[in-house]
């Protein structure tokens, strides 16, 4: 394998399409020959810094490192760490990167993983940053599609539910737009539609997409249906969540209208958006998906640790401007350099991708 071009995995762009494909192929091989990979990461230490709850992502990262023969440290509740005493993200990451060889971090704030990468001596993997991105879930989704669908190309992909806050949705769209012939059906209420930057991204990539509000009407069109939970924790008020919850429920009656080779995915956890009766339908692949996540994360860490060396980066110089997104990590961690990139007549925040007009 060629070494990875990027030291960290913060956004999907950190891997080329060729690298995504290579890692998914490796994950498939690990699935077939798990025992052959024991010891590949002997002597390596993974730190899992989970500032936000998780079952699958945290445990699959930990299992992945243990299955590769390495060891694990970390926290899954910042209240039990010195974060509760007011320690900054910068200090926590700098210290933990001195103890470990690779860090997987989940944080409730958009841009936190990018911020961590500026102060880490070791590679940082974004295990979910607020409602922004979740690239290792996407890797999981790709490994699932490779095994369950056999192709990444020419698919009609429906995404349903909380497309505004669903970071797994944003990451999956960005990844699948890179493969030829894919089109997207975005199924949500008006309030929970995908952010404008994702629609712009699809249009710029030349992918056909449509927004609809009826899951039933979309069902016959789809090769892949990606269901998502309405994310209660991201709503401003309980009342607003109550208005949005329960709008989309996939049940056996809706599955009757779907293609025979539809694949139903869900990053999980689910609340009520997939009826339990669907679990027995052979097209439901969301529990298999959780297992593919283990192989995906084993493959990813193997690849990222191949050429890894410890090195304290020099953070970039910031500019005298503020990100317009009040939920961006730059508003919580005041020492962070404010950096942006230009995209046409827009200024795009390097941490959370919020766009403002120049
Ligand atoms: N899919 C996913 O991220 O699940 P967890 O929140 O349990 O990690």
């Amino acid at each position: 394998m060629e070494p990875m071009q990027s030291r960290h995995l913060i956004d999907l762009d950190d891997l080329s399409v060729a690298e995504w494909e290579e890692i998914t192929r490796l994950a498939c091989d690990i699935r077939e020959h798990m025992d052959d990979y024991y010891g590949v990461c002997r002597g390596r230490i993974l730190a899992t810094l989970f500032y936000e709850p998780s079952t699958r992502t945290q445990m699959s990262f930990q299992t992945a490192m243990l299955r590769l023969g390495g060891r694990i440290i970390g926290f899954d509740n910042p209240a039990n760490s010195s974060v509760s005493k007011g320690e900054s993200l910068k200090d926590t990451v700098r210290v933990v990167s001195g103890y470990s060889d690779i860090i997987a971090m989940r944080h409730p704030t958009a841009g936190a993983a990018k911020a961590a990468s500026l102060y880490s001596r070791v590679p940082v993997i974004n295990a979910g940053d607020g409602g922004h991105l979740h690239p290792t879930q996407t890797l999981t989704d790709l490994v699932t599609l490779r095994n369950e669908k056999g192709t990444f190309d020419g698919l009609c992909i429906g995404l349903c539910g909380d497309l505004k806050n669903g970071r797994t949705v944003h990451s999956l769209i960005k990844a699948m737009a890179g493969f030829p012939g894919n089109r997207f059906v975005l199924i949500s209420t008006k309030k929970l539609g995908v952010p404008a930057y994702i629609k712009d991204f699809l249009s710029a990539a030349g992918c056909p997409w449509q927004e609809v509000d009826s899951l039933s009407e979309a069902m016959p069109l789809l090769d892949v249906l990606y269901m998502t939970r309405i994310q209660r924790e991201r709503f401003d008020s309980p009342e607003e969540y109550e208005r949005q919850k329960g709008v989309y429920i996939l049940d056996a009656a809706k599955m009757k209208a779907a293609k025979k080779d539809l694949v139903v995915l869900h990053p999980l956890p689910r609340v009520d958006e997939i009826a339990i009766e669907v679990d027995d339908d052979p097209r439901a692949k969301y529990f298999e998906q959780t297992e593919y996540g283990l192989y995906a994360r084993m493959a990813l860490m193997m690849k990222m640790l191949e050429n890894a060396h410890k090195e304290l980066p020099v953070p970039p110089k910031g500019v005298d401007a503020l990100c317009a997104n009040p939920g961006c990590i730059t508003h919580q961690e005041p020492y962070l350099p404010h950096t942006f990139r230009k995209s046409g007549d827009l200024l795009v925040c390097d941490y959370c991708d919020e766009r403002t007009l120049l």
Side-chain angles (χ1 to χ4, degrees):
M1 288 196 297
E2 290 292 310
M4 251 177 74
Q5 294 299 310
S6 175
R7 182 165 162 75
H8 307 285
L9 177 61
I10 307 302
D11 195 348
L12 293 152
D13 309 346
D14 292 327
L15 295 179
S16 65
V17 170
E19 286 173 331
W20 281 108
E21 291 191 300
E22 184 189 347
I23 293 171
T24 56
R25 270 197 301 276
L26 176 59
C28 295
D29 194 66
I30 292 172
R31 177 174 178 244
E32 299 290 319
H33 310 103
M34 175 75 99
D35 289 348
D36 292 356
Y37 290 88
Y38 187 77
V40 170
C41 286
R42 186 173 285 118
R44 303 290 203 164
I45 295 176
L46 162 72
T48 50
L49 303 185
F50 275 60
Y51 290 75
E52 195 182 53
S54 165
T55 298
R56 277 146 291 275
T57 311
Q58 188 196 23
M59 289 191 193
S60 62
F61 263 116
Q62 294 178 338
T63 308
M65 185 49 92
L66 293 171
R67 290 251 181 238
L68 291 168
R71 283 172 291 174
I72 53 175
I73 59 170
F75 59 73
D76 57 11
N77 180 357
N80 295 335
S81 77
S82 286
V83 175
S84 65
K85 302 172 198 161
E87 186 165 65
S88 67
L89 183 64
K90 169 185 176 191
D91 287 359
T92 300
V93 167
R94 181 159 178 182
V95 169
V96 173
S97 70
Y99 299 154
S100 59
D101 299 291
I102 191 163
I103 292 175
M105 192 182 91
R106 171 170 291 188
H107 198 283
T109 308
K114 168 78 182 175
S117 73
L118 302 182
Y119 303 101
S120 173
R121 297 172 61 197
V122 300
V124 173
I125 302 174
N126 183 2
D129 60 331
H132 185 218
L133 294 168
H134 192 351
T136 68
Q137 179 63 47
T138 304
L139 187 55
T140 298
D141 300 340
L142 291 182
V143 174
T144 309
L145 284 174
R146 178 177 285 284
N147 281 278
E148 300 295 340
K149 204 71 199 164
T151 181
F152 296 144
D153 306 340
L155 299 171
C156 181
I157 302 164
L159 301 108
C160 177
D162 189 347
L163 308 189
K164 177 182 174 203
N165 298 303
R167 56 195 172 197
T168 63
V169 166
H170 308 159
S171 293
L172 183 62
I173 290 175
K174 287 176 90 175
M176 292 308 286
F179 297 99
N182 290 331
R183 60 199 172 95
F184 297 84
V185 184
L186 309 172
I187 309 154
S188 73
T189 61
K190 281 212 165 18
K191 284 240 178 236
L192 296 183
V194 292
Y197 84 91
I198 295 286
K199 290 187 241 180
D200 290 350
F201 178 88
L202 282 173
S203 298
C207 294
W209 59 272
Q210 61 184 121
E211 284 184 298
V212 301
D213 59 12
S214 166
L215 174 58
S216 301
E217 285 173 26
M219 285 304 285
L221 306 172
L222 307 177
D223 300 305
V224 176
L225 172 58
Y226 198 86
M227 291 296 296
T228 61
R229 173 177 68 92
I230 308 296
Q231 303 208 356
R232 182 175 48 191
E233 66 275 25
R234 314 248 181 251
F235 280 77
D236 290 337
S237 71
E239 295 76 26
E240 187 54 35
Y241 170 70
E242 290 299 319
R243 276 194 285 277
Q244 297 291 333
K245 74 168 194 190
V247 174
Y248 296 108
I249 296 180
L250 180 66
D251 55 18
K254 290 196 184 74
M255 289 295 285
K256 281 201 179 108
K259 291 182 182 175
K260 294 274 176 281
D261 62 349
L262 172 75
V263 167
V264 180
L265 304 181
H266 189 311
L268 302 182
R270 85 172 136 187
V271 182
D272 59 1
E273 59 279 1
I274 301 182
I276 304 277
E277 65 201 22
V278 178
D279 295 357
D280 297 329
D281 189 306
R283 295 169 290 182
K285 298 294 182 191
Y286 30 89
F287 288 111
E288 286 86 343
Q289 192 180 353
T290 62
E291 197 179 317
Y292 288 121
L294 169 63
Y295 312 127
R297 292 178 176 109
M298 287 174 76
L300 176 68
M301 285 194 289
M302 274 177 62
K303 178 95 181 144
M304 291 182 76
L305 284 168
E306 244 172 18
N307 248 14
H309 52 281
K310 291 207 170 191
E311 184 182 303
L312 192 60
V314 180
K317 292 235 179 311
V319 295
D320 192 16
L322 266 184
C323 174
N325 172 13
C328 176
I329 191 72
T330 52
H331 290 269
Q332 281 185 17
E333 304 275 335
Y335 52 84
L336 287 171
H338 294 188
T339 61
F340 302 85
R341 57 192 184 277
K342 272 191 184 161
S343 171
D345 54 358
L346 295 171
L347 209 51
V348 184
C349 174
D350 278 339
Y351 296 84
C352 73
D353 290 312
E354 178 76 11
R355 303 150 342 134
T356 34
L357 270 174
L358 274 171

